[in-house]
Amino acid sequence: MCGIVGYVGKSQAAPILLDGLSKLEYRGYDSAGMAVYDGSKIEYEKAKGRLRLLSEKTHDGATMQGTIGIGHTRWATHGEPSETNAHPHLNEDETIAVVHNGIIENYAKLKDKLIKRGYNFKSETDTEVVAHLLDYYYKAGNDPLACVTKVMHRVEGAYALGIIFADYPDQIYSVRKDSPLIVGLGKDGNLIASDVPAVLKYTREVYFIENEEIARLSEGSIEFFDVDGQPIEKQSKTIDWDVDAAEKGGYDHFMIKEIHEEPKTVRDTLNPRIKNDTVDIEELGMTDEEIRAISRIRIVACGSAYHTGVTAKYVFEDMARIPVEVDIASEFRYRNPILQENELVIAISQSGETADTKEAVRMARAMGNMTLAIVNVVGSSIAREAEKVMYTWAGPEISVATTKAYSAQLIALYLLAMKFADVRGLLPADEMKSLIADLKKLPEQIEMLLGNKERIQKFANRFVAAKDVFFIGRGIDYAISMEGSLKLKEISYIHSEAYAAGELKHGTISLIEEGTLVAAVATQDNIYPKTVSNIVECKTRGAFILAVTTVGHEDIEDVADYVMYIPQTNKYFANSLAIIPLQLFGYYVSVGKGFDVDHPRNLAKSVTVE
Ligand code: F6R
């Protein structure tokens, strides 16, 4: 879970590398480094901590001369965050430099062998074996391309590598297996990166590198090879993301900017799929027979994406009467799961690179089941791994805590449920029309909720010192609570838990004491009185109650200490509105505590390790 970049061209490389790394800091931010060929040797700099420290050390890259280089921002896996463990890693002669995203699983065995051959290791990383292995093959008389292919045959695990050789000062070699990598075709030079935002400032023409493909870049050319070093042809794709999407655009943090982008995200994910008062998802290429044949849906995902899956379970089961199992991807893949015939496996992922979700898709395919990915990043691994893809059009999401991609995932799932219900004869045309009308209102309703953010900020400021917070709800409200709780804990470091409201009294209620904040979500009419009873149980034990409910339920003020109202919508879509005040609450608590909202400790956005 790191970010890599590389540049070769006419301009000074280091400032471009730093700029690219700044767009990849969401992938890891405990240390960073760059290597540049300065005309006579490979020069490198590393810094422990945020990228800004590397920028300061190199005067924004000005002190590193040269027009070819590679860079790295790290989320430590092997070896603590330190300058020694930061990338790039070099061979002993410092003639080969490597940056790496991923994990070399057999590094210990390779390291032993290399030590026996006289190699000395400086770091505790798995990556250093790659630098020494390249050195070994290079000194045995192989050219750089042959060295790279030989290394690929020796290493096991996941990797995206950027490599420069001092003897070939006009070339970058890059290769991937199970870690993302793109190549950008620039005007005055070419680039490699772990993700598209890192190159958007320089080009929109990118190549998505497939597993075990090698790219060789120089100022005026990009060549591709397979794992045996044979040339291959690749087509570039034009990315239509806005350059501004990767900038803060006047907001204090990416998170608040991205929350404000939710109305647009909802519109962009929804509108192209509504035609003639019905849902059109022909892009999936699923026949009505296939939809009718679905015996069960299995959703696999992690974190917030898993929470959208929990919401979807309630929606699919109620609306389309299809049984749904929701699995945390890392549990699914190690459980010897049973998939039945005609069970559709839906993987949900913003990044499209989450290792466990990707592996779950592979397993489901291997079992012969149809797989459908709901993914935000075009051309990402999960998008390519799954048989069918439905993109969420949220644009690049930079803040580690997801907000707009979560909202877009919900829309994609509602649309699928509506389509499936329609094809299975469970959604009369007038109901479909009314659901579509409600969906179309969501962007405006979200805008309205955003208009109330100062009130939420004031409330959040009262709870910056909270020690424990509980989020409770039933049905879809429980799914919302799970996400509200995760948002708060991941960026404010306040312990919080989400509970099915009816389950609290089976143990956890013993934790409620005078002043404990309980956020109760109560948007679902059919279970509203039940949730209110659970609120009263907490209040009786001294809890301070924040209620999130729908306009029309003003009676909740009799039991709640503070209420956040959401506009009325169809019961299925309440999550899309109720999550907004909860995202804002998490955000403002984190701001109130003075934390680095976009880069919470210990986390990284794209979890490409198991
Ligand atoms: C929380 C968050 C994570 C991700 C999870 C899955 O704010 O962002 O919980 O939802 O790591 O990531 P993707 O969706 O990229 O598979």
mmCIF file of all heavy atoms in Angstrom, residues 268-297:
data_model
loop_
_atom_site.group_PDB
_atom_site.id
_atom_site.type_symbol
_atom_site.label_atom_id
_atom_site.label_comp_id
_atom_site.label_asym_id
_atom_site.label_seq_id
_atom_site.Cartn_x
_atom_site.Cartn_y
_atom_site.Cartn_z
ATOM 1 N N ASP A 268 -24.162 11.822 -11.373
ATOM 2 C CA ASP A 268 -23.365 11.204 -12.440
ATOM 3 C C ASP A 268 -23.534 9.688 -12.468
ATOM 4 O O ASP A 268 -23.430 9.063 -13.520
ATOM 5 C CB ASP A 268 -21.868 11.547 -12.262
ATOM 6 C CG ASP A 268 -21.604 13.017 -12.534
ATOM 7 O OD1 ASP A 268 -22.526 13.705 -13.018
ATOM 8 O OD2 ASP A 268 -20.482 13.480 -12.254
ATOM 9 N N THR A 269 -23.750 9.099 -11.302
ATOM 10 C CA THR A 269 -23.899 7.639 -11.267
ATOM 11 C C THR A 269 -25.315 7.241 -11.673
ATOM 12 O O THR A 269 -25.540 6.188 -12.263
ATOM 13 C CB THR A 269 -23.549 7.115 -9.846
ATOM 14 O OG1 THR A 269 -22.242 7.589 -9.511
ATOM 15 C CG2 THR A 269 -23.553 5.598 -9.779
ATOM 16 N N LEU A 270 -26.244 8.136 -11.396
ATOM 17 C CA LEU A 270 -27.660 7.828 -11.633
ATOM 18 C C LEU A 270 -28.115 8.155 -13.067
ATOM 19 O O LEU A 270 -28.642 7.282 -13.781
ATOM 20 C CB LEU A 270 -28.490 8.655 -10.635
ATOM 21 C CG LEU A 270 -30.000 8.564 -10.726
ATOM 22 C CD1 LEU A 270 -30.464 7.175 -10.300
ATOM 23 C CD2 LEU A 270 -30.653 9.619 -9.823
ATOM 24 N N ASN A 271 -27.913 9.408 -13.469
ATOM 25 C CA ASN A 271 -28.580 9.903 -14.684
ATOM 26 C C ASN A 271 -28.356 9.071 -15.949
ATOM 27 O O ASN A 271 -29.314 8.795 -16.668
ATOM 28 C CB ASN A 271 -28.207 11.373 -14.933
ATOM 29 C CG ASN A 271 -28.902 12.259 -13.914
ATOM 30 O OD1 ASN A 271 -29.703 11.788 -13.108
ATOM 31 N ND2 ASN A 271 -28.577 13.539 -13.912
ATOM 32 N N PRO A 272 -27.106 8.657 -16.228
ATOM 33 C CA PRO A 272 -26.929 7.900 -17.469
ATOM 34 C C PRO A 272 -27.673 6.558 -17.462
ATOM 35 O O PRO A 272 -27.792 5.917 -18.498
ATOM 36 C CB PRO A 272 -25.412 7.652 -17.534
ATOM 37 C CG PRO A 272 -24.804 8.423 -16.429
ATOM 38 C CD PRO A 272 -25.869 8.812 -15.470
ATOM 39 N N ARG A 273 -28.166 6.145 -16.290
ATOM 40 C CA ARG A 273 -28.776 4.817 -16.204
ATOM 41 C C ARG A 273 -30.296 4.872 -16.083
ATOM 42 O O ARG A 273 -30.922 3.859 -15.812
ATOM 43 C CB ARG A 273 -28.166 4.059 -15.015
ATOM 44 C CG ARG A 273 -26.706 3.726 -15.322
ATOM 45 C CD ARG A 273 -25.922 3.322 -14.131
ATOM 46 N NE ARG A 273 -24.604 2.883 -14.539
ATOM 47 C CZ ARG A 273 -23.490 3.163 -13.877
ATOM 48 N NH1 ARG A 273 -23.528 3.893 -12.791
ATOM 49 N NH2 ARG A 273 -22.331 2.708 -14.315
ATOM 50 N N ILE A 274 -30.835 6.077 -16.243
ATOM 51 C CA ILE A 274 -32.293 6.211 -16.232
ATOM 52 C C ILE A 274 -32.733 6.581 -17.644
ATOM 53 O O ILE A 274 -32.327 7.609 -18.175
ATOM 54 C CB ILE A 274 -32.750 7.326 -15.246
ATOM 55 C CG1 ILE A 274 -32.276 7.018 -13.822
ATOM 56 C CG2 ILE A 274 -34.264 7.529 -15.305
ATOM 57 C CD1 ILE A 274 -32.919 5.818 -13.175
ATOM 58 N N LYS A 275 -33.531 5.716 -18.240
ATOM 59 C CA LYS A 275 -34.034 6.002 -19.591
ATOM 60 C C LYS A 275 -35.491 5.616 -19.660
ATOM 61 O O LYS A 275 -35.857 4.505 -19.257
ATOM 62 C CB LYS A 275 -33.229 5.230 -20.635
ATOM 63 C CG LYS A 275 -31.840 5.795 -20.790
ATOM 64 C CD LYS A 275 -31.063 5.261 -21.975
ATOM 65 C CE LYS A 275 -29.627 5.733 -21.859
ATOM 66 N NZ LYS A 275 -28.643 4.681 -21.886
ATOM 67 N N ASN A 276 -36.314 6.524 -20.179
ATOM 68 C CA ASN A 276 -37.755 6.258 -20.343
ATOM 69 C C ASN A 276 -38.389 5.727 -19.064
ATOM 70 O O ASN A 276 -39.056 4.677 -19.085
ATOM 71 C CB ASN A 276 -38.006 5.245 -21.479
ATOM 72 C CG ASN A 276 -37.377 5.701 -22.764
ATOM 73 O OD1 ASN A 276 -37.339 6.902 -23.025
ATOM 74 N ND2 ASN A 276 -36.846 4.767 -23.527
ATOM 75 N N ASP A 277 -38.161 6.422 -18.000
ATOM 76 C CA ASP A 277 -38.774 6.059 -16.711
ATOM 77 C C ASP A 277 -38.448 4.641 -16.258
ATOM 78 O O ASP A 277 -39.242 3.993 -15.559
ATOM 79 C CB ASP A 277 -40.301 6.215 -16.771
ATOM 80 C CG ASP A 277 -40.675 7.676 -16.708
ATOM 81 O OD1 ASP A 277 -39.897 8.456 -16.119
ATOM 82 O OD2 ASP A 277 -41.723 8.036 -17.270
ATOM 83 N N THR A 278 -37.315 4.164 -16.667
ATOM 84 C CA THR A 278 -36.909 2.852 -16.169
ATOM 85 C C THR A 278 -35.380 2.793 -16.033
ATOM 86 O O THR A 278 -34.680 3.705 -16.450
ATOM 87 C CB THR A 278 -37.471 1.722 -17.068
ATOM 88 O OG1 THR A 278 -37.194 0.484 -16.444
ATOM 89 C CG2 THR A 278 -36.906 1.742 -18.456
ATOM 90 N N VAL A 279 -34.908 1.719 -15.397
ATOM 91 C CA VAL A 279 -33.454 1.600 -15.180
ATOM 92 C C VAL A 279 -32.832 0.886 -16.374
ATOM 93 O O VAL A 279 -33.271 -0.200 -16.754
ATOM 94 C CB VAL A 279 -33.176 0.782 -13.891
ATOM 95 C CG1 VAL A 279 -31.686 0.535 -13.725
ATOM 96 C CG2 VAL A 279 -33.741 1.498 -12.675
ATOM 97 N N ASP A 280 -31.795 1.520 -16.936
ATOM 98 C CA ASP A 280 -31.124 0.914 -18.078
ATOM 99 C C ASP A 280 -29.679 0.596 -17.676
ATOM 100 O O ASP A 280 -28.861 1.491 -17.519
ATOM 101 C CB ASP A 280 -31.148 1.912 -19.248
ATOM 102 C CG ASP A 280 -30.441 1.363 -20.468
ATOM 103 O OD1 ASP A 280 -29.681 0.379 -20.332
ATOM 104 O OD2 ASP A 280 -30.633 1.921 -21.564
ATOM 105 N N ILE A 281 -29.427 -0.700 -17.507
ATOM 106 C CA ILE A 281 -28.038 -1.082 -17.187
ATOM 107 C C ILE A 281 -27.543 -2.103 -18.222
ATOM 108 O O ILE A 281 -26.915 -3.100 -17.892
ATOM 109 C CB ILE A 281 -27.888 -1.609 -15.738
ATOM 110 C CG1 ILE A 281 -29.003 -2.581 -15.366
ATOM 111 C CG2 ILE A 281 -27.808 -0.475 -14.753
ATOM 112 C CD1 ILE A 281 -28.776 -3.288 -14.045
ATOM 113 N N GLU A 282 -27.838 -1.761 -19.466
ATOM 114 C CA GLU A 282 -27.399 -2.640 -20.559
ATOM 115 C C GLU A 282 -25.898 -2.813 -20.585
ATOM 116 O O GLU A 282 -25.390 -3.810 -21.068
ATOM 117 C CB GLU A 282 -27.877 -2.065 -21.890
ATOM 118 C CG GLU A 282 -29.201 -2.663 -22.274
ATOM 119 C CD GLU A 282 -29.593 -2.390 -23.704
ATOM 120 O OE1 GLU A 282 -28.761 -1.873 -24.459
ATOM 121 O OE2 GLU A 282 -30.751 -2.699 -24.022
ATOM 122 N N GLU A 283 -25.194 -1.797 -20.049
ATOM 123 C CA GLU A 283 -23.726 -1.847 -20.000
ATOM 124 C C GLU A 283 -23.227 -3.165 -19.394
ATOM 125 O O GLU A 283 -22.125 -3.622 -19.675
ATOM 126 C CB GLU A 283 -23.209 -0.676 -19.151
ATOM 127 C CG GLU A 283 -23.695 -0.792 -17.716
ATOM 128 C CD GLU A 283 -23.610 0.482 -16.870
ATOM 129 O OE1 GLU A 283 -22.518 0.854 -16.496
ATOM 130 O OE2 GLU A 283 -24.665 1.083 -16.585
ATOM 131 N N LEU A 284 -24.060 -3.794 -18.539
ATOM 132 C CA LEU A 284 -23.644 -5.025 -17.861
ATOM 133 C C LEU A 284 -23.743 -6.240 -18.780
ATOM 134 O O LEU A 284 -23.133 -7.274 -18.524
ATOM 135 C CB LEU A 284 -24.513 -5.283 -16.621
ATOM 136 C CG LEU A 284 -24.377 -4.305 -15.478
ATOM 137 C CD1 LEU A 284 -25.258 -4.738 -14.323
ATOM 138 C CD2 LEU A 284 -22.931 -4.232 -15.013
ATOM 139 N N GLY A 285 -24.536 -6.117 -19.802
ATOM 140 C CA GLY A 285 -24.718 -7.252 -20.704
ATOM 141 C C GLY A 285 -25.357 -8.442 -20.007
ATOM 142 O O GLY A 285 -25.015 -9.592 -20.276
ATOM 143 N N MET A 286 -26.275 -8.186 -19.084
ATOM 144 C CA MET A 286 -26.970 -9.291 -18.396
ATOM 145 C C MET A 286 -28.336 -9.478 -19.029
ATOM 146 O O MET A 286 -29.095 -8.513 -19.162
ATOM 147 C CB MET A 286 -27.188 -8.944 -16.920
ATOM 148 C CG MET A 286 -26.121 -9.476 -16.013
ATOM 149 S SD MET A 286 -26.456 -8.949 -14.327
ATOM 150 C CE MET A 286 -26.923 -10.499 -13.621
ATOM 151 N N THR A 287 -28.653 -10.688 -19.408
ATOM 152 C CA THR A 287 -29.952 -10.916 -20.030
ATOM 153 C C THR A 287 -31.022 -11.033 -18.944
ATOM 154 O O THR A 287 -30.720 -11.326 -17.777
ATOM 155 C CB THR A 287 -29.950 -12.227 -20.838
ATOM 156 O OG1 THR A 287 -29.739 -13.300 -19.908
ATOM 157 C CG2 THR A 287 -28.872 -12.238 -21.901
ATOM 158 N N ASP A 288 -32.295 -10.842 -19.345
ATOM 159 C CA ASP A 288 -33.397 -10.993 -18.395
ATOM 160 C C ASP A 288 -33.422 -12.424 -17.842
ATOM 161 O O ASP A 288 -33.736 -12.630 -16.666
ATOM 162 C CB ASP A 288 -34.743 -10.672 -19.068
ATOM 163 C CG ASP A 288 -34.891 -9.170 -19.291
ATOM 164 O OD1 ASP A 288 -33.954 -8.429 -18.900
ATOM 165 O OD2 ASP A 288 -35.921 -8.752 -19.842
ATOM 166 N N GLU A 289 -33.081 -13.384 -18.684
ATOM 167 C CA GLU A 289 -33.070 -14.785 -18.218
ATOM 168 C C GLU A 289 -32.051 -14.930 -17.087
ATOM 169 O O GLU A 289 -32.303 -15.583 -16.084
ATOM 170 C CB GLU A 289 -32.693 -15.766 -19.358
ATOM 171 C CG GLU A 289 -33.763 -15.991 -20.400
ATOM 172 C CD GLU A 289 -34.052 -14.722 -21.208
ATOM 173 O OE1 GLU A 289 -33.092 -14.027 -21.602
ATOM 174 O OE2 GLU A 289 -35.254 -14.413 -21.397
ATOM 175 N N GLU A 290 -30.885 -14.321 -17.305
ATOM 176 C CA GLU A 290 -29.839 -14.421 -16.264
ATOM 177 C C GLU A 290 -30.323 -13.773 -14.962
ATOM 178 O O GLU A 290 -30.090 -14.288 -13.877
ATOM 179 C CB GLU A 290 -28.544 -13.759 -16.741
ATOM 180 C CG GLU A 290 -27.759 -14.628 -17.704
ATOM 181 C CD GLU A 290 -26.605 -13.904 -18.379
ATOM 182 O OE1 GLU A 290 -26.673 -12.660 -18.548
ATOM 183 O OE2 GLU A 290 -25.648 -14.586 -18.754
ATOM 184 N N ILE A 291 -31.002 -12.640 -15.098
ATOM 185 C CA ILE A 291 -31.478 -11.939 -13.888
ATOM 186 C C ILE A 291 -32.550 -12.773 -13.192
ATOM 187 O O ILE A 291 -32.547 -12.925 -11.972
ATOM 188 C CB ILE A 291 -32.014 -10.530 -14.251
ATOM 189 C CG1 ILE A 291 -30.850 -9.647 -14.720
ATOM 190 C CG2 ILE A 291 -32.739 -9.893 -13.064
ATOM 191 C CD1 ILE A 291 -31.244 -8.289 -15.260
ATOM 192 N N ARG A 292 -33.434 -13.358 -13.993
ATOM 193 C CA ARG A 292 -34.501 -14.172 -13.389
ATOM 194 C C ARG A 292 -33.931 -15.414 -12.718
ATOM 195 O O ARG A 292 -34.489 -15.926 -11.751
ATOM 196 C CB ARG A 292 -35.532 -14.574 -14.453
ATOM 197 C CG ARG A 292 -36.620 -13.506 -14.619
ATOM 198 C CD ARG A 292 -37.771 -14.030 -15.443
ATOM 199 N NE ARG A 292 -37.456 -14.023 -16.864
ATOM 200 C CZ ARG A 292 -37.682 -12.978 -17.665
ATOM 201 N NH1 ARG A 292 -38.247 -11.894 -17.193
ATOM 202 N NH2 ARG A 292 -37.363 -13.026 -18.931
ATOM 203 N N ALA A 293 -32.797 -15.893 -13.258
ATOM 204 C CA ALA A 293 -32.244 -17.160 -12.741
ATOM 205 C C ALA A 293 -31.468 -16.970 -11.426
ATOM 206 O O ALA A 293 -31.162 -17.960 -10.748
ATOM 207 C CB ALA A 293 -31.317 -17.778 -13.789
ATOM 208 N N ILE A 294 -31.181 -15.731 -11.046
ATOM 209 C CA ILE A 294 -30.346 -15.521 -9.849
ATOM 210 C C ILE A 294 -31.012 -16.170 -8.632
ATOM 211 O O ILE A 294 -32.159 -15.868 -8.304
ATOM 212 C CB ILE A 294 -30.146 -14.005 -9.568
ATOM 213 C CG1 ILE A 294 -29.354 -13.359 -10.700
ATOM 214 C CG2 ILE A 294 -29.416 -13.786 -8.234
ATOM 215 C CD1 ILE A 294 -29.337 -11.831 -10.648
ATOM 216 N N SER A 295 -30.274 -17.077 -7.994
ATOM 217 C CA SER A 295 -30.869 -17.790 -6.857
ATOM 218 C C SER A 295 -30.539 -17.087 -5.541
ATOM 219 O O SER A 295 -31.267 -17.186 -4.565
ATOM 220 C CB SER A 295 -30.332 -19.217 -6.806
ATOM 221 O OG SER A 295 -28.928 -19.174 -6.662
ATOM 222 N N ARG A 296 -29.408 -16.405 -5.545
ATOM 223 C CA ARG A 296 -28.989 -15.696 -4.343
ATOM 224 C C ARG A 296 -27.928 -14.676 -4.760
ATOM 225 O O ARG A 296 -27.249 -14.872 -5.773
ATOM 226 C CB ARG A 296 -28.376 -16.693 -3.340
ATOM 227 C CG ARG A 296 -28.056 -16.093 -1.997
ATOM 228 C CD ARG A 296 -27.877 -17.139 -0.916
ATOM 229 N NE ARG A 296 -26.634 -17.883 -1.099
ATOM 230 C CZ ARG A 296 -26.258 -18.901 -0.305
ATOM 231 N NH1 ARG A 296 -27.023 -19.301 0.685
ATOM 232 N NH2 ARG A 296 -25.123 -19.534 -0.523
ATOM 233 N N ILE A 297 -27.809 -13.617 -3.984
ATOM 234 C CA ILE A 297 -26.737 -12.650 -4.251
ATOM 235 C C ILE A 297 -25.757 -12.730 -3.093
ATOM 236 O O ILE A 297 -26.157 -12.802 -1.925
ATOM 237 C CB ILE A 297 -27.290 -11.211 -4.371
ATOM 238 C CG1 ILE A 297 -28.165 -11.088 -5.624
ATOM 239 C CG2 ILE A 297 -26.156 -10.189 -4.413
ATOM 240 C CD1 ILE A 297 -28.878 -9.740 -5.746
#
